Amino acid sequence: MGLFQPTESNILDATTEDYENLRVGDAKTERDGRQVTISATARYKPENEDEYETDQWGYTETDYQEAFALTDLSEEEAALVEEFVPVVVEEADGFAGFRDNATKTNSLIDRLKAITLPDPDDVADDLRRYIEVKKRAEELDEKIEKTDRLIDEIVYDLYDLTDEEIEIVEESVADD
């Protein structure tokens, strides 16, 4: 398995020496064949909270930054990394060896690299079932969205709404 990190440094390379209370906020994966790119957001307390949008605890969160890419994975390893890493980050608290906080010597990238993946052979059947169920759920979501659009069209026709009225209704619903 190969490992590629971005050539430009970003906040994921930082430690608590650089940012107070630095931690991983969220993670996502992007798969391209046998390569999986892992990206994450960083949460920290900015020195001047007025310059940033912060939550009720005074934290700000960055956009997703590329942490690294794993290459030359088998199909099973790529599927496992793609599905497992976001779950591990969401669970945090030591699950799969992952801690979400940086330290003075460990960056967020170091934390992401420390994730312990299960042996693909040990979870192959469960992973296959998970991927099948996820695919089916995505198909059902698409059907639900299509059905919702069809219902909307029927209602618009039933009430003989103009394009302008339809736009007003859709903007109203979008704001909710």
Side-chain angles (χ1 to χ4, degrees):
M1 159 180 353
L3 173 75
F4 290 103
Q5 281 187 234
T7 54
E8 288 187 29
S9 182
N10 63 48
I11 192 168
L12 301 178
D13 294 310
T15 65
T16 55
E17 293 282 319
D18 305 304
Y19 296 93
E20 182 181 354
N21 296 324
L22 181 63
R23 64 189 65 242
V24 174
D26 196 16
K28 68 179 182 179
T29 56
E30 186 176 327
R31 184 172 171 191
D32 183 10
R34 296 182 338 142
Q35 175 176 311
V36 179
T37 301
I38 299 168
S39 299
T41 64
R43 287 178 47 82
Y44 64 96
K45 286 194 173 191
E47 288 182 24
N48 186 350
E49 288 183 24
D50 296 333
E51 294 180 14
Y52 296 89
E53 186 176 321
T54 58
D55 62 17
Q56 64 189 20
W57 300 282
Y59 281 85
T60 190
E61 189 162 349
T62 67
D63 292 331
Y64 282 96
Q65 305 286 321
E66 185 178 327
F68 53 87
L70 299 172
T71 62
D72 300 325
L73 300 169
S74 69
E75 285 296 318
E76 294 80 16
E77 290 168 335
L80 183 61
V81 170
E82 176 184 29
E83 300 300 333
F84 193 68
V85 169
V87 172
V88 169
V89 171
E90 186 175 318
E91 292 295 319
D93 294 332
F95 176 62
F98 177 72
R99 297 280 181 203
D100 65 351
N101 61 314
T103 64
K104 289 181 180 182
T105 57
N106 287 309
S107 71
L108 300 182
I109 288 179
D110 295 332
R111 293 302 199 188
L112 290 166
K113 286 179 181 177
I115 291 173
T116 304
L117 296 172
D119 184 331
D121 293 334
D122 292 345
V123 295
D125 291 338
D126 293 333
L127 180 61
R128 182 185 41 74
R129 279 192 300 278
Y130 174 81
I131 290 169
E132 288 172 6
V133 167
K134 184 178 178 198
K135 181 179 177 185
R136 180 72 178 132
E138 289 169 354
E139 290 169 357
L140 289 172
D141 284 343
E142 288 176 24
K143 286 182 179 180
I144 290 168
E145 285 180 34
K146 185 177 180 179
T147 303
D148 284 346
R149 285 191 304 271
L150 183 58
I151 291 169
D152 290 346
E153 289 175 19
I154 292 169
V155 170
Y156 298 153
D157 286 343
L158 181 65
Y159 286 95
D160 200 27
L161 297 181
T162 66
D163 288 343
E164 293 166 350
E165 291 169 326
I166 292 171
E167 188 176 326
I168 291 168
V169 170
E170 289 181 354
E171 285 177 6
S172 173
V173 173
D175 292 340
D176 290 342

